[in-house]
Amino acid sequence: MQEPCLVNGFNSLEPVSYDNPDATSHCGWTTKDRIVLRTLKAAPSLEVLFDLKDTNTTFNNVYENNALSLMQGTLWKMSPPLWELREMGIPWATPGTENYLHRLPVIDEQTPTVTAENYLCHYEYEICVLARLIGHLFSYKNLHENGMAISAIHDALVRIWTFCRIFGCGKYHQADWEGQQEWLAGGVRANGLTGSFSFGWESSEVLALAPEGFGRGNSSGLSIRQTKIMQSVWRRLQQRLRHKVEQDFAIRPPRGWNSGDVDTWVSYILTLGLAAVDCLLLSNNPLQEAEDLGWVPTPAAIPPAGFLQDACTRWLNHLLVRQPSVRHRVSLPS
Protein backbone atom coordinates (compact mmCIF):
# COMPACT_ATOMS: atom_id res chain seq x y z
CA MET A 1 0.00 0.00 0.00
CA GLN A 2 1.37 3.39 -0.99
CA GLU A 3 1.31 5.71 2.00
CA PRO A 4 1.56 9.49 1.70
CA CYS A 5 4.51 11.20 3.29
CA LEU A 6 4.35 14.52 5.08
CA VAL A 7 6.64 17.26 3.82
CA ASN A 8 6.82 20.68 5.48
CA GLY A 9 3.44 20.15 7.08
CA PHE A 10 1.70 19.04 3.89
CA ASN A 11 0.67 15.65 2.61
CA SER A 12 2.62 14.55 -0.43
CA LEU A 13 1.59 11.79 -2.80
CA GLU A 14 2.52 11.47 -6.46
CA PRO A 15 -0.75 11.56 -8.43
CA VAL A 16 0.62 10.09 -11.65
CA SER A 17 0.69 6.59 -10.15
CA TYR A 18 -3.08 6.72 -9.73
CA ASP A 19 -3.49 6.19 -13.45
CA ASN A 20 -1.41 3.01 -13.34
CA PRO A 21 -3.20 0.12 -11.61
CA ASP A 22 0.06 -1.82 -11.40
CA ALA A 23 2.02 1.00 -9.76
CA THR A 24 1.74 -0.59 -6.31
CA SER A 25 3.33 -3.99 -5.73
CA HIS A 26 1.32 -6.54 -3.74
CA CYS A 27 3.52 -9.56 -3.18
CA GLY A 28 1.61 -12.72 -2.42
CA TRP A 29 -1.65 -11.49 -3.85
CA THR A 30 -3.76 -13.80 -5.97
CA THR A 31 -4.76 -13.01 -9.52
CA LYS A 32 -8.29 -12.47 -8.24
CA ASP A 33 -7.07 -9.89 -5.71
CA ARG A 34 -5.17 -8.01 -8.40
CA ILE A 35 -8.21 -7.94 -10.68
CA VAL A 36 -10.35 -6.64 -7.84
CA LEU A 37 -7.78 -3.94 -7.07
CA ARG A 38 -7.72 -2.86 -10.71
CA THR A 39 -11.52 -2.70 -10.65
CA LEU A 40 -11.51 -0.56 -7.51
CA LYS A 41 -8.86 1.75 -8.97
CA ALA A 42 -11.04 2.25 -12.04
CA ALA A 43 -13.89 3.73 -9.97
CA PRO A 44 -14.72 7.19 -11.39
CA SER A 45 -16.01 8.59 -8.08
CA LEU A 46 -15.91 7.94 -4.36
CA GLU A 47 -19.58 6.98 -4.44
CA VAL A 48 -18.86 4.24 -6.98
CA LEU A 49 -15.75 3.18 -5.05
CA PHE A 50 -17.73 2.71 -1.85
CA ASP A 51 -20.44 0.80 -3.70
CA LEU A 52 -17.83 -1.50 -5.24
CA LYS A 53 -16.20 -2.29 -1.91
CA ASP A 54 -19.52 -3.68 -0.68
CA THR A 55 -19.79 -6.11 -3.61
CA ASN A 56 -18.50 -9.05 -1.57
CA THR A 57 -15.92 -10.04 1.04
CA THR A 58 -13.03 -10.09 -1.44
CA PHE A 59 -13.77 -6.57 -2.65
CA ASN A 60 -14.10 -5.33 0.92
CA ASN A 61 -10.82 -6.94 2.03
CA VAL A 62 -8.89 -5.52 -0.92
CA TYR A 63 -10.43 -2.12 -0.30
CA GLU A 64 -9.56 -2.15 3.40
CA ASN A 65 -5.94 -3.00 2.59
CA ASN A 66 -5.70 -0.06 0.18
CA ALA A 67 -8.38 2.36 1.40
CA LEU A 68 -6.30 5.53 1.67
CA SER A 69 -4.54 5.27 -1.68
CA LEU A 70 -7.80 4.25 -3.39
CA MET A 71 -9.62 7.30 -2.03
CA GLN A 72 -6.75 9.58 -2.98
CA GLY A 73 -6.56 8.17 -6.49
CA THR A 74 -10.30 8.38 -7.01
CA LEU A 75 -10.46 11.95 -5.73
CA TRP A 76 -7.67 12.86 -8.17
CA LYS A 77 -9.83 11.57 -11.03
CA MET A 78 -12.91 13.38 -9.71
CA SER A 79 -11.27 16.75 -9.16
CA PRO A 80 -7.54 17.56 -9.10
CA PRO A 81 -8.23 20.84 -7.22
CA LEU A 82 -10.11 18.95 -4.48
CA TRP A 83 -7.34 16.35 -4.39
CA GLU A 84 -4.73 19.05 -3.81
CA LEU A 85 -6.85 20.75 -1.15
CA ARG A 86 -6.96 17.48 0.79
CA GLU A 87 -3.26 16.78 0.24
CA MET A 88 -2.37 20.20 1.64
CA GLY A 89 -4.55 19.70 4.70
CA ILE A 90 -3.39 18.24 8.00
CA PRO A 91 -5.85 16.23 10.15
CA TRP A 92 -5.01 18.10 13.36
CA ALA A 93 -8.42 17.47 14.91
CA THR A 94 -11.98 16.48 14.04
CA PRO A 95 -12.98 19.02 11.36
CA GLY A 96 -15.43 21.72 12.35
CA THR A 97 -14.79 21.34 16.08
CA GLU A 98 -13.47 24.12 18.29
CA ASN A 99 -10.16 22.25 18.52
CA TYR A 100 -9.89 22.16 14.73
CA LEU A 101 -10.80 25.82 14.26
CA HIS A 102 -8.37 26.89 16.96
CA ARG A 103 -5.60 25.23 14.95
CA LEU A 104 -6.25 27.07 11.68
CA PRO A 105 -3.34 29.46 12.31
CA VAL A 106 -0.13 27.47 12.00
CA ILE A 107 0.85 25.55 15.13
CA ASP A 108 4.10 23.96 16.20
CA GLU A 109 3.07 20.40 16.91
CA GLN A 110 4.02 16.98 15.63
CA THR A 111 2.18 16.24 12.40
CA PRO A 112 -0.49 13.56 12.90
CA THR A 113 -0.72 10.47 10.72
CA VAL A 114 -3.08 10.59 7.75
CA THR A 115 -5.44 7.61 7.78
CA ALA A 116 -8.28 6.54 5.53
CA GLU A 117 -10.72 7.47 8.28
CA ASN A 118 -9.51 11.02 8.91
CA TYR A 119 -8.91 11.59 5.18
CA LEU A 120 -12.57 10.83 4.44
CA CYS A 121 -13.78 12.77 7.48
CA HIS A 122 -11.94 15.92 6.40
CA TYR A 123 -13.01 15.51 2.77
CA GLU A 124 -16.68 15.30 3.79
CA TYR A 125 -16.32 18.39 5.97
CA GLU A 126 -14.62 20.32 3.18
CA ILE A 127 -17.29 19.60 0.58
CA CYS A 128 -19.98 20.66 3.07
CA VAL A 129 -18.17 23.96 3.69
CA LEU A 130 -17.85 24.53 -0.05
CA ALA A 131 -21.56 23.86 -0.60
CA ARG A 132 -22.55 26.25 2.19
CA LEU A 133 -20.31 29.02 0.88
CA ILE A 134 -21.65 28.70 -2.65
CA GLY A 135 -25.11 29.12 -1.13
CA HIS A 136 -23.94 32.17 0.86
CA LEU A 137 -22.30 33.81 -2.13
CA PHE A 138 -24.53 33.11 -5.10
CA SER A 139 -28.19 32.62 -5.80
CA TYR A 140 -29.32 30.57 -8.78
CA LYS A 141 -30.36 33.83 -10.45
CA ASN A 142 -26.86 35.30 -9.95
CA LEU A 143 -25.24 32.32 -11.60
CA HIS A 144 -27.74 32.09 -14.46
CA GLU A 145 -27.68 35.79 -15.31
CA ASN A 146 -23.89 35.94 -15.39
CA GLY A 147 -23.32 32.66 -17.20
CA MET A 148 -21.31 31.25 -14.31
CA ALA A 149 -21.21 27.50 -13.90
CA ILE A 150 -21.34 26.22 -10.34
CA SER A 151 -18.36 24.01 -11.17
CA ALA A 152 -16.25 27.09 -11.97
CA ILE A 153 -17.24 28.76 -8.68
CA HIS A 154 -16.59 25.51 -6.82
CA ASP A 155 -13.10 25.12 -8.28
CA ALA A 156 -12.29 28.76 -7.52
CA LEU A 157 -13.29 28.29 -3.87
CA VAL A 158 -11.25 25.10 -3.64
CA ARG A 159 -8.17 26.83 -5.05
CA ILE A 160 -8.64 29.80 -2.73
CA TRP A 161 -8.72 27.43 0.24
CA THR A 162 -5.61 25.60 -0.95
CA PHE A 163 -3.78 28.90 -1.52
CA CYS A 164 -4.61 29.94 2.04
CA ARG A 165 -3.35 26.65 3.45
CA ILE A 166 -0.02 27.02 1.69
CA PHE A 167 0.65 30.75 1.93
CA GLY A 168 -1.71 31.97 4.69
CA CYS A 169 -2.71 30.59 8.08
CA GLY A 170 0.07 32.49 9.84
CA LYS A 171 2.87 30.82 7.87
CA TYR A 172 4.42 34.18 6.90
CA HIS A 173 4.44 33.27 3.20
CA GLN A 174 2.13 36.12 2.15
CA ALA A 175 4.98 37.82 0.28
CA ASP A 176 6.45 34.66 -1.24
CA TRP A 177 5.78 35.84 -4.78
CA GLU A 178 7.95 33.17 -6.37
CA GLY A 179 6.11 30.38 -4.62
CA GLN A 180 2.71 31.88 -5.35
CA GLN A 181 3.43 32.32 -9.05
CA GLU A 182 4.77 28.80 -9.33
CA TRP A 183 1.64 27.46 -7.63
CA LEU A 184 -0.61 29.38 -10.04
CA ALA A 185 1.52 28.00 -12.86
CA GLY A 186 0.68 24.46 -11.77
CA GLY A 187 3.92 23.73 -9.93
CA VAL A 188 5.53 22.55 -13.16
CA ARG A 189 9.05 23.34 -12.00
CA ALA A 190 8.49 22.60 -8.33
CA ASN A 191 7.44 19.09 -9.34
CA GLY A 192 10.21 18.63 -11.91
CA LEU A 193 7.77 18.70 -14.82
CA THR A 194 7.79 20.62 -18.06
CA GLY A 195 5.09 23.10 -18.90
CA SER A 196 4.29 26.27 -20.77
CA PHE A 197 4.18 28.46 -17.66
CA SER A 198 7.09 28.52 -15.24
CA PHE A 199 9.19 30.93 -13.24
CA GLY A 200 12.68 30.91 -11.88
CA TRP A 201 13.08 31.42 -8.15
CA GLU A 202 15.85 32.27 -5.76
CA SER A 203 14.56 32.57 -2.21
CA SER A 204 11.18 30.88 -1.85
CA GLU A 205 10.93 28.84 1.34
CA VAL A 206 7.73 27.21 0.09
CA LEU A 207 9.38 26.06 -3.13
CA ALA A 208 12.50 24.89 -1.36
CA LEU A 209 10.36 22.37 0.55
CA ALA A 210 7.41 22.00 -1.82
CA PRO A 211 5.53 18.70 -1.54
CA GLU A 212 5.08 16.72 -4.74
CA GLY A 213 1.41 17.64 -5.00
CA PHE A 214 2.19 21.37 -4.99
CA GLY A 215 0.13 23.15 -7.66
CA ARG A 216 -1.09 19.91 -9.26
CA GLY A 217 -4.69 21.02 -8.87
CA ASN A 218 -3.98 23.81 -11.36
CA SER A 219 -2.95 21.55 -14.24
CA SER A 220 -0.27 23.31 -16.32
CA GLY A 221 -1.32 26.72 -15.06
CA LEU A 222 -4.53 28.63 -14.43
CA SER A 223 -6.14 30.34 -17.39
CA ILE A 224 -7.09 34.02 -17.45
CA ARG A 225 -10.72 33.08 -16.86
CA GLN A 226 -9.95 30.78 -13.93
CA THR A 227 -7.75 33.42 -12.32
CA LYS A 228 -10.33 36.19 -12.70
CA ILE A 229 -13.02 33.97 -11.22
CA MET A 230 -10.76 33.37 -8.21
CA GLN A 231 -10.36 37.12 -7.75
CA SER A 232 -14.09 37.74 -8.09
CA VAL A 233 -15.00 35.01 -5.61
CA TRP A 234 -12.38 36.33 -3.17
CA ARG A 235 -13.92 39.81 -3.34
CA ARG A 236 -17.36 38.36 -2.74
CA LEU A 237 -16.09 36.48 0.31
CA GLN A 238 -14.71 39.76 1.65
CA GLN A 239 -18.01 41.54 1.03
CA ARG A 240 -20.13 38.86 2.71
CA LEU A 241 -17.92 38.61 5.77
CA ARG A 242 -17.65 42.38 6.09
CA HIS A 243 -21.44 42.68 5.92
CA LYS A 244 -21.70 40.04 8.65
CA VAL A 245 -19.41 41.79 11.13
CA GLU A 246 -19.32 45.51 10.29
CA GLN A 247 -22.16 46.59 12.58
CA ASP A 248 -20.76 44.78 15.63
CA PHE A 249 -17.25 45.92 14.71
CA ALA A 250 -18.37 49.55 14.72
CA ILE A 251 -20.02 49.19 18.14
CA ARG A 252 -17.45 47.01 19.89
CA PRO A 253 -14.30 46.30 17.90
CA PRO A 254 -11.97 43.57 19.19
CA ARG A 255 -9.46 44.58 21.83
CA GLY A 256 -6.66 46.66 20.32
CA TRP A 257 -8.61 47.41 17.15
CA ASN A 258 -10.41 50.55 15.97
CA SER A 259 -13.90 50.55 14.49
CA GLY A 260 -12.46 51.59 11.13
CA ASP A 261 -10.21 48.54 10.91
CA VAL A 262 -12.93 46.14 9.80
CA ASP A 263 -11.53 45.65 6.29
CA THR A 264 -8.07 44.85 7.62
CA TRP A 265 -9.48 42.30 10.05
CA VAL A 266 -11.71 40.69 7.40
CA SER A 267 -8.69 40.37 5.10
CA TYR A 268 -6.80 38.61 7.88
CA ILE A 269 -9.65 36.16 8.52
CA LEU A 270 -9.69 35.23 4.84
CA THR A 271 -6.02 34.23 5.00
CA LEU A 272 -7.04 31.52 7.50
CA GLY A 273 -9.06 29.79 4.79
CA LEU A 274 -12.65 28.91 4.12
CA ALA A 275 -13.23 27.02 7.37
CA ALA A 276 -12.79 30.31 9.24
CA VAL A 277 -15.07 32.20 6.85
CA ASP A 278 -17.73 29.49 7.05
CA CYS A 279 -17.56 29.44 10.85
CA LEU A 280 -18.08 33.19 11.20
CA LEU A 281 -20.82 33.41 8.57
CA LEU A 282 -22.75 30.76 10.52
CA SER A 283 -22.13 32.38 13.91
CA ASN A 284 -24.64 34.50 15.80
CA ASN A 285 -21.77 36.38 17.44
CA PRO A 286 -18.86 36.23 14.98
CA LEU A 287 -16.56 38.73 16.71
CA GLN A 288 -16.83 37.01 20.08
CA GLU A 289 -16.32 33.64 18.45
CA ALA A 290 -13.25 34.92 16.61
CA GLU A 291 -11.80 36.21 19.88
CA ASP A 292 -12.49 32.90 21.62
CA LEU A 293 -10.69 31.04 18.81
CA GLY A 294 -7.65 33.32 18.87
CA TRP A 295 -8.36 34.94 15.51
CA VAL A 296 -7.83 38.51 16.71
CA PRO A 297 -4.10 39.28 16.64
CA THR A 298 -2.88 42.82 17.16
CA PRO A 299 -3.23 45.03 14.08
CA ALA A 300 0.56 45.32 13.90
CA ALA A 301 0.80 41.54 13.36
CA ILE A 302 -1.52 41.59 10.35
CA PRO A 303 0.27 41.09 7.00
CA PRO A 304 -0.10 43.75 4.30
CA ALA A 305 -3.34 43.81 2.33
CA GLY A 306 -3.52 42.22 -1.09
CA PHE A 307 -3.16 38.56 -0.13
CA LEU A 308 -4.12 36.34 -3.10
CA GLN A 309 -5.36 39.31 -5.14
CA ASP A 310 -1.83 40.60 -5.78
CA ALA A 311 -0.61 37.12 -6.70
CA CYS A 312 -3.47 36.69 -9.16
CA THR A 313 -2.83 40.13 -10.67
CA ARG A 314 0.84 39.27 -11.22
CA TRP A 315 -0.17 35.99 -12.84
CA LEU A 316 -2.69 37.74 -15.10
CA ASN A 317 -0.04 40.23 -16.18
CA HIS A 318 2.24 37.32 -17.02
CA LEU A 319 -0.48 35.64 -19.09
CA LEU A 320 -1.39 38.85 -20.91
CA VAL A 321 2.24 39.44 -21.85
CA ARG A 322 2.34 35.94 -23.31
CA GLN A 323 -1.09 36.31 -24.92
CA PRO A 324 -1.45 40.00 -25.83
CA SER A 325 -4.40 39.34 -28.12
CA VAL A 326 -6.51 37.88 -25.31
CA ARG A 327 -9.35 40.09 -24.13
CA HIS A 328 -11.22 37.83 -21.76
CA ARG A 329 -13.48 39.46 -19.21
CA VAL A 330 -15.24 37.75 -16.35
CA SER A 331 -17.78 39.71 -14.32
CA LEU A 332 -19.64 38.50 -11.28
CA PRO A 333 -22.49 40.29 -9.51
CA SER A 334 -21.42 42.35 -6.53
Side-chain angles (χ1 to χ4, degrees), residues 64-86:
E64 293 298 334
N65 287 329
N66 299 272
L68 180 57
S69 61
L70 283 169
M71 282 191 287
Q72 290 170 310
T74 303
L75 186 56
W76 170 258
K77 287 184 286 186
M78 290 170 58
S79 169
L82 265 179
W83 172 87
E84 187 183 0
L85 173 67
R86 186 78 302 280

Side-chain angles (χ1 to χ4, degrees), residues 20-296:
N20 180 5
D22 298 319
T24 304
S25 174
H26 296 274
C27 297
W29 279 40
T30 66
T31 300
K32 182 179 180 180
D33 291 335
R34 293 179 184 277
I35 292 173
V36 168
L37 181 59
R38 291 178 66 91
T39 302
L40 290 169
K41 286 188 174 184
S45 68
L46 290 175
E47 182 180 5
V48 172
L49 176 65
F50 298 149
D51 285 343
L52 284 172
K53 82 177 179 66
D54 293 331
T55 302
N56 56 40
T57 301
T58 301
F59 270 81
N60 186 71
N61 289 341
V62 172
Y63 171 83
E64 293 298 334
N65 287 329
N66 299 272
L68 180 57
S69 61
L70 283 169
M71 282 191 287
Q72 290 170 310
T74 303
L75 186 56
W76 170 258
K77 287 184 286 186
M78 290 170 58
S79 169
L82 265 179
W83 172 87
E84 187 183 0
L85 173 67
R86 186 78 302 280
E87 293 302 301
M88 298 300 155
I90 302 298
W92 294 116
T94 302
T97 63
E98 182 177 348
N99 193 17
Y100 170 88
L101 295 169
H102 185 72
R103 283 169 158 76
L104 291 182
V106 69
I107 57 175
D108 185 17
E109 292 184 10
Q110 184 176 359
T111 303
T113 300
V114 179
T115 66
E117 290 74 19
N118 61 40
Y119 185 92
L120 180 60
C121 182
H122 281 258
Y123 164 76
E124 290 175 339
Y125 168 74
E126 287 159 1
I127 61 174
C128 286
V129 168
L130 291 164
R132 281 195 296 267
L133 287 177
I134 290 174
H136 276 301
L137 300 179
F138 299 97
S139 67
Y140 175 80
K141 182 179 180 181
N142 290 150
L143 296 171
H144 180 72
E145 289 180 348
N146 289 273
M148 298 302 300
I150 291 179
S151 60
I153 301 299
H154 176 274
D155 285 353
L157 282 166
V158 171
R159 289 181 171 121
I160 285 170
W161 202 347
T162 301
F163 188 94
C164 292
R165 282 184 173 171
I166 298 172
F167 300 103
C169 295
K171 294 186 177 72
Y172 302 103
H173 297 318
Q174 290 88 346
D176 188 341
W177 303 117
E178 292 171 314
Q180 292 169 16
Q181 296 306 293
E182 182 63 20
W183 182 82
L184 291 165
V188 290
R189 292 187 63 187
N191 291 296
L193 304 175
T194 58
S196 56
F197 304 120
S198 60
F199 289 79
W201 63 79
E202 297 177 356
S203 58
S204 170
E205 181 182 353
V206 170
L207 292 176
L209 298 170
E212 292 184 15
F214 179 85
R216 288 291 181 86
N218 299 334
S219 187
S220 58
L222 295 187
S223 67
I224 291 174
R225 177 178 176 80
Q226 289 171 326
T227 308
K228 286 191 172 183
I229 292 175
M230 276 185 68
Q231 289 184 306
S232 296
V233 171
W234 180 264
R235 287 193 295 269
R236 183 169 281 265
L237 287 168
Q238 289 178 312
Q239 292 165 2
R240 287 292 184 268
L241 188 54
R242 188 186 197 283
H243 178 73
K244 177 77 176 184
V245 304
E246 61 184 345
Q247 185 173 356
D248 289 343
F249 209 100
I251 297 172
R252 191 189 68 82
R255 182 179 302 175
W257 290 73
N258 298 318
S259 58
D261 293 333
V262 60
D263 289 326
T264 301
W265 183 77
V266 165
S267 295
Y268 165 74
I269 293 297
L270 261 65
T271 70
L272 299 181
L274 300 191
V277 177
D278 177 63
C279 170
L280 297 184
L281 288 178
L282 291 174
S283 176
N284 292 324
N285 192 347
L287 289 184
Q288 184 61 55
E289 187 146 4
E291 288 186 295
D292 293 343
L293 291 168
W295 297 348
V296 187

